Amino acid sequence: MHTVRKSWKTYTLGVAAIAALLSSTACDSGGTDNGKGPTASGTPSAAGSPTPSPFGTPNAAGTTQPGGGGTAGPSQSAGGGNPTIAACNDNDLSIDTSGWRQDSGQHLLITATNFTDTACTLYHYPYVRFGTDIGAPFGATESKPRAIATIGPKEKAYAGVFVFKAGQQTYTVTSFSLGYQDRALNSNKDVAPLDIRLSEEVGSLTVGPTPRVTYWNTDLRAVEDFLFRSGNS
């Protein structure tokens, strides 16, 4: 990066000019950043965190592998999203599953890719059930994103699953079901979910009695940060 050096000429200011300058400076020093919000934090790098591994081969829709940054779609504020953009459904998305090295299968990453030519919104969190479970989908973690997960064509959103904790009684599954919500929280619970087989690289999962899923997020790093550094794993 080149450092630009400027030479400044010194002028003698009259009393009136100095007063005007101080007045202008006071008006501009409100502690603002010209409307810019806080910048995004860098990639988490705490020692000992699991290293993402590319379980799952990219499909025709270009599903991102874990560990990539992901491209955030045009997001709205968390107050309810843009009513002109429809909620995503089975016909809009391709779904891939993957995991992390050094994780012992305790977490699962769900990647949703919009393969249409129209933006859609993934509201709240996915409804997930494992295996042949026909009961209610399991609950969400306290992982609400700062913005609604709206994704344009070829863009992605992510949700992470706490599958089990050490010491819990577990059972093994090779598939799961997935459902989507509308703008209203806890909507569409009675809609038939999509049955999805786990990717060949994941194979099977050992599931505990109290799995939890994160909210949808267009930032993969945010999902990973919550999964591995919030103390909920």
Side-chain angles (χ1 to χ4, degrees):
M1 177 168 57
H2 297 288
T3 302
V4 178
R5 299 183 181 275
K6 296 182 179 180
S7 60
W8 295 88
K9 294 181 179 181
T10 303
Y11 295 89
T12 302
L13 298 178
V15 175
I18 292 175
L21 178 60
L22 292 176
S23 176
S24 174
T25 303
C27 291
D28 292 337
S29 59
T32 64
D33 54 2
N34 296 325
K36 296 179 181 179
T39 57
S41 60
T43 303
S45 57
S49 62
T51 301
S53 65
F55 293 171
T57 303
N59 57 25
T63 304
T64 293
Q65 299 302 330
T71 302
S75 299
Q76 287 73 46
S77 68
N82 187 337
T84 65
I85 298 178
C88 298
N89 59 52
D90 297 344
N91 297 321
D92 301 316
L93 306 171
S94 65
I95 300 296
D96 193 21
T97 55
S98 48
W100 288 265
R101 296 188 183 98
Q102 305 173 13
D103 180 45
S104 302
Q106 290 180 285
H107 305 87
L108 179 72
L109 179 69
I110 300 173
T111 301
T113 303
N114 181 354
F115 62 76
T116 72
D117 57 2
T118 305
C120 66
T121 295
L122 284 160
Y123 285 103
H124 311 299
Y125 56 90
Y127 290 141
V128 178
R129 301 174 178 86
F130 282 124
T132 58
D133 184 4
I134 58 175
F138 48 81
T141 63
E142 296 298 325
S143 61
K144 293 182 180 180
R146 292 184 177 181
I148 298 296
T150 295
I151 51 176
K154 301 299 187 285
E155 292 180 339
K156 309 172 193 302
Y158 309 91
V161 184
F162 295 102
V163 182
F164 74 94
K165 294 183 179 181
Q168 290 184 329
Q169 184 175 2
T170 60
Y171 61 99
T172 301
V173 301
T174 57
S175 64
F176 69 103
S177 63
L178 185 67
Y180 307 100
Q181 300 195 49
D182 287 329
R183 295 181 68 198
L185 183 62
N186 295 323
S187 58
N188 295 338
K189 278 190 176 181
D190 296 330
V191 176
L194 178 68
D195 292 324
I196 300 174
R197 190 165 187 83
L198 294 168
S199 65
E200 292 183 2
E201 288 76 7
V202 173
S204 61
L205 284 176
T206 300
V207 181
T210 56
R212 289 291 184 270
V213 63
T214 71
Y215 281 68
W216 288 112
N217 203 313
T218 55
D219 185 352
L220 173 57
R221 290 174 298 179
V223 173
E224 291 178 329
D225 184 72
F226 184 83
L227 284 175
F228 298 115
R229 302 188 188 174
S230 64
N232 289 295
S233 58

